[in-house]
């Protein structure tokens, strides 16, 4: 039978929605797959189709001022405010498709920060424009400067590489760009020579670089002649965009002076000035057409005809006021463009159906097919939407309600709606949304904002969200809203047709200290939305109202306030039914217990099943569970180190635990310490702590079907936590059963003396005690087998045929056993067998083998299974440490210590031997001949001997060749043959001179 397994509540991060873009430059490769964005001082690489994060490049501590990506996405150039630029190679792809950037070089391009940069179409040249007014061209792969251009009087704000097929006005334009003194000093050419020069240069391909500065001047640089060939000075404000049309031989420029100018690249004269009448941030030619696009402060993309100079798009609603376009990325090989907005959102718009040319006002706005939220800033509240919980509603530091996907693309889908992709942004509120709530199905959403209104949103038959009602009447901002969550009977009309059955009422709480009951079924239509009337208004608390909740049958609702109390109200009359007092700080969150919640026994008794329980979280860092029968506190849950901002009940588990007992009710809390805690409501203990946020966690919700938690915080991160309790329990049960079976199998193999299988299984189980017992029995085998190193030839064969991972693990075990004097003999015996069995080259090969560590979760295993902390970070296949010499150094140090201990024991044994012999000879007369215990004679001298005495060992076969006395005899000297000792008889061959005796 397997060992008893304790069930542990576990949650793992299933997925997360993290910030994508926080401002700055955005780059996109020519294939439209790799998107590079700025995330504070870091650069983030994302797959634009799937939304997968490919890489994150850490910055140098300063804000990124410019970044450029080669068309093939082979290199990425990052420039920061620290005046340094870095070139990364992106060609290294891992097995899972993640890019591993390699830093190739770091250089300092300018004496001031780089403001703008661009890469040519071949991906070999990089142009940088700095705040020092200089322009430099770099070889990306070589890392050196190819050109340095000076002449701008201010910040360089725009750059663009292009190629021309013919000469750039060899006459007037060239002469105009030269200084007067050089123009006068040049010898005059005749008409024939000028025509010949022009004809010789006609048809040549010219590599050019256009640069614009903050003074409105545009300079055209010839990369072959390394000089400025023209200065275009028609703009009166900073130049923000440059582009070139090779077919039309036209250069287009846009400035913040609200004009677009078309330039003839042959004469470098303006051919058309288009008054756009808005501050422009981007301009460019559309592929294979006579159209150009502009984008700027109005937040729209406008299309213009280069023939007529008139706008081809119809009038569009301006989106200025926080949603202007700051950058537009467009590649002519793509059928869409990417617009970057000032609210840190990105929009993909289709361009595949644009005609080559269009009449005035004949085109509609470019259709957007995907929106990406760069960052959600601070997530104040969130909730699952729709019956299948496939969407998520977010209340952020914005007046718009954001709807994002909470599921990945379905198998076989086109991947357009990846996980966390923006679905829609619901507009209507005039100020920041503070709170939101949903009905039982997630089809209806209530929002409360700082504009003193509450709105009710719904989904129509076409799947579009629309504002159905606007509740106006509060004098201050709304801090809480609540909708009833009465679950209808299955397969009934209210369940199947949720859209046409709105919630009957809505309750709102405001900073004006009042609560209002809004009857949504009796409403007047004003404009496009209903305007419900307040059925009653009550003065609820003495301070701000932070939270509201309605019980499962819509008979009671609770209000939590900063006045440290929670009040219970009847829904119909709006009368106070009870007050919960006990928190020492303001109460941030309140929620009624579920309908079928099990009974909870607390310090004041058990909760009655008739009225249920209430859960509250407070600024005093505690969570309290209250009994609604007598309004007493059942339990106080302590563990947070900061205010508890949100509390919810988790769905009751449908299956029993491994011991057949019903799992206890669980609650979850989110705090200002950035942690989410799951509690055992029955015992009041923390079941697990979830940590994936770096700032306070404001919002928390749960999927009732899958028990998936979702948390959102001030760090802008939205984390989805998957409940893995049952999976962990099943895995622990399986592992325990498997281990019992393996232990029994190991016992059987040991008893059957199947040493090869037993040693292999013991190494696989990571069971050092069983392995030591096995080797001990082998070493002490009596009698040992012939020609065996360890005592058993089968064990010799096993030890001589170990794989690298098994050999390494065995050396680790030998190292540990060698540190203990009781197990050191066995360790030395096995080490001796290994040294005899393998050549030195095998150990050298073992030290050179490198395997990457396997960084697992590390938090869900049983500590009892982790028998060796040294190998806990390596895989079961046996990854090797970075320095194997440390293992052999440990073996050497303890081996030397054991040999020194043996030498000391040998020396001490002489004293013991001498003491024993002296004790045996007590009472023997002088001159008597005795035996030394080894078959040799001993003659005891007279007591009157005055010579010094020494302990000498007599051995046969050696001659000193001279008379020796005890004065010059030391421990270890050998005496044999005929020698005389003063005061004693003549020593014969084979006699032993002991301590004062012969």
């Amino acid at each position: 039978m397997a060992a008893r397994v304790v069930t542990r509540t576990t949650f793992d991060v299933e997925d997360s929605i993290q910030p994508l873009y926080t401002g700055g430059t955005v780059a996109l490769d020519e294939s439209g797959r790799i998107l590079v964005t700025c995330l504070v001082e870091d650069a983030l690489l994302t797959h634009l189709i799937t939304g997968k994060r490919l890489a994150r490049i850490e910055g140098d501590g300063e804000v990124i001022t410019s970044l450029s990506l080669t068309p093939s996405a082979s290199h990425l150039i990052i420039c920061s405010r620290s005046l340094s630029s870095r070139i990364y190679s992106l060609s290294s792809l891992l097995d899972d498709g993640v890019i591993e950037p390699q830093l190739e070089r770091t250089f300092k391009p300018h004496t001031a920060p780089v403001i703008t940069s661009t890469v040519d179409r071949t991906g070999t040249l990089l142009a940088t424009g700095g705040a020092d007014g200089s322009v430099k061209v770099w070889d990306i792969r070589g890392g050196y400067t190819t050109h340095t251009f000076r002449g701008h009087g201010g910040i360089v704000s725009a750059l663009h590489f292009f190629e021309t097929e013919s000469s750039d006005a060899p006459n007037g334009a060239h002469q105009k760009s030269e200084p007067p003194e050089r123009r006068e000093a040049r010898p005059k050419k005749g008409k024939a020579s000028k025509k010949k020069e022009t004809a010789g240069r006609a048809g040549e391909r010219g590599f050019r670089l256009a640069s614009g500065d903050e003074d409105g001047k545009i300079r055209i640089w010839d990369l072959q002649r390394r000089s400025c060939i023209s200065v275009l000075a028609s703009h009166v404000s900073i130049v923000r965009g440059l582009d070139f049309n090779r077919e039309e031989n036209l250069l287009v420029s846009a400035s913040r002076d609200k004009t677009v100018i078309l330039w003839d690249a042959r004469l470098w004269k303006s051919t058309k000035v288009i008054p756009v009448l808005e501050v422009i941030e981007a301009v460019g030619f559309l592929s294979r057409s006579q159209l150009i696009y502009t984008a700027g402060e109005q937040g729209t993309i406008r299309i213009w005809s280069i023939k007529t100079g008139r706008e081809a798009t119809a009038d569009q609603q301006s989106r200025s006021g926080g949603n202007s376009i700051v950058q537009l990325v467009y590649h002519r090989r793509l059928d869409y463009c990417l617009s970057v907005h000032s609210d840190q959102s990105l929009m993909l718009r289709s361009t595949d159906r644009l005609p080559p040319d269009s009449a005035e006002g004949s085109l509609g706005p470019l259709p957007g097919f995907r929106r990406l939220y760069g960052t959600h800033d601070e997530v104040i509240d969130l909730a699952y939407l729709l019956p299948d919980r496939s969407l998520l509603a977010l209340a952020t530091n914005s007046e718009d309600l954001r709807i994002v996907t909470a599921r990945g693309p379905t198998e076989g889908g086109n991947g357009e709606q990846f996980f966390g992709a923006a679905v829609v942004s619901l507009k209507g509120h005039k100020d920041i949304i503070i709170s939101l709530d949903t009905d039982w199905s997630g089809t209806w959403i209530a929002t409360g904002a700082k504009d003193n209104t509450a709105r009710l949103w719904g989904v129509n038959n076409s799947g579009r969200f629309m504002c159905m009602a606007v509740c106006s009447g509060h004098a201050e901002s709304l801090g809480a809203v609540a909708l009833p969550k009465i679950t209808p009977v299955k397969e009934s009309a209210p369940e199947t047709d949720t859209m046409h059955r709105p919630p009957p009422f809505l309750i709102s709480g405001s900073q004006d200290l009042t609560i209002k009951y809004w009857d949504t079924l009796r409403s007047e239509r004003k404009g496009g939305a209903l305007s419900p009337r307040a059925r009653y208004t009550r003065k609820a608390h003495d301070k701000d109202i932070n939270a509201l909740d309605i019980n499962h049958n819509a008979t009671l609702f609770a209000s939590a306030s900063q006045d440290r109390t929670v009040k219970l109200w009847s829904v119909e009359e709006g009368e106070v039914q009870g007050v919960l007092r006990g928190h020492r700080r303001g109460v941030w969150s309140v929620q009624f217990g579920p309908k079928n919640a099990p009974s909870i026994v607390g310090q004041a008794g058990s909760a009655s099943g008739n009225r249920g329980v209430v859960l509250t979280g407070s600024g005093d860092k505690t969570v309290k569970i209250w009994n609604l029968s007598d309004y007493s506190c059942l339990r106080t849950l302590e563990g947070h180190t900061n205010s508890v901002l949100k509390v919810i009940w988790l769905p009751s588990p449908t299956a029993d635990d491994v011991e057949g007992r019903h799992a206890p009710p669980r609650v979850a809390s989110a705090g200002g310490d950035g942690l989410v805690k799951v509690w055992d409501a029955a015992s009041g203990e923390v079941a697990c702590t979830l940590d994936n946020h770096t700032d306070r966690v404001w919002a928390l919700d749960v999927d009732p079907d899958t028990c998936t938690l979702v948390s959102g915080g001030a760090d802008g991160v939205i984390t989805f936590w998957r409940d893995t309790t049952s999976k962990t329990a099943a895995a622990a049960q399986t592992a325990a059963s498997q281990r019992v079976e393996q232990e029994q199998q190991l016992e059987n193999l040991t008893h059957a003396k199947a040493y090869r299988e037993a040693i292999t299984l013991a190494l696989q189980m990571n069971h050092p005690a069983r392995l030591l017992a096995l080797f001990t029995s082998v070493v002490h085998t009596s009698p040992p087998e012939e020609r065996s190193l360890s005592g058993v030839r089968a064990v010799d064969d096993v030890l001589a045929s170990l794989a690298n991972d098994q050999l390494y693990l065995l050396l680790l075990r030998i190292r540990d056993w060698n540190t203990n004097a009781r197990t050191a003999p066995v360790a030395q015996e096995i080490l001796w067998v290994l040294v005899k069995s393998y050549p030195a080259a095998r150990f050298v090969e073992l030290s050179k083998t490198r395997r990457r560590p396997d960084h697992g979760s590390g938090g869900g295993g049983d500590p009892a299974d982790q028998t060796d902390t040294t190998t806990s970070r390596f895989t079961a296949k046996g990854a090797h440490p970075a320095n194997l010499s440390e293992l052999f150094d440990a073996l050497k140090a303890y081996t030397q210590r054991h040999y020194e201990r043996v030498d000391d024991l040998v020396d001490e044994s002489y004293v013991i031997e001498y003491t024993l012999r002296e004790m045996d000879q007590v009472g023997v007369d002088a001159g008597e001949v005795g035996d030394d215990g080894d078959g040799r004679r001993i003659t005891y001298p007279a007591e009157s001997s005055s010579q010094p005495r020494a302990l000498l060992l007599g051995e046969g076969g050696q001659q000193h060749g001279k008379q020796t006395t005890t004065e010059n005899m030391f421990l270890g000297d050998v005496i044999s043959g005929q020698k005389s000792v003063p005061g004693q008889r003549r020593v014969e061959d084979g006699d032993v001179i002991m301590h004062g005796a012969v």
Side-chain angles (χ1 to χ4, degrees), residues 213-218 232-242 252-263 273-274 280:
D213 60 17
E214 63 178 353
D215 296 333
K217 293 182 180 180
I218 302 171
L232 313 179
S234 295
H235 289 292
V236 295
S237 184
I238 181 172
V239 178
R240 292 297 300 150
L242 294 168
V252 62
S253 62
S255 171
R256 287 183 178 172
D257 60 6
K258 303 182 181 182
T259 62
V260 171
I261 301 179
L262 294 171
W263 306 86
V273 178
I274 303 175
I280 305 173

Side-chain angles (χ1 to χ4, degrees), residues 53 81 93 261 271 351 360 473 501 574 611 636 696 747 767 870 895 969:
R53 178 171 293 191
R81 194 176 293 174
L93 287 176
I261 301 179
T271 61
T351 61
E360 180 180 355
R501 298 179 182 273
R611 305 196 64 181
T636 299
R696 55 186 175 272
E747 289 288 346
H767 208 311
T870 307
T895 300
M969 294 180 184

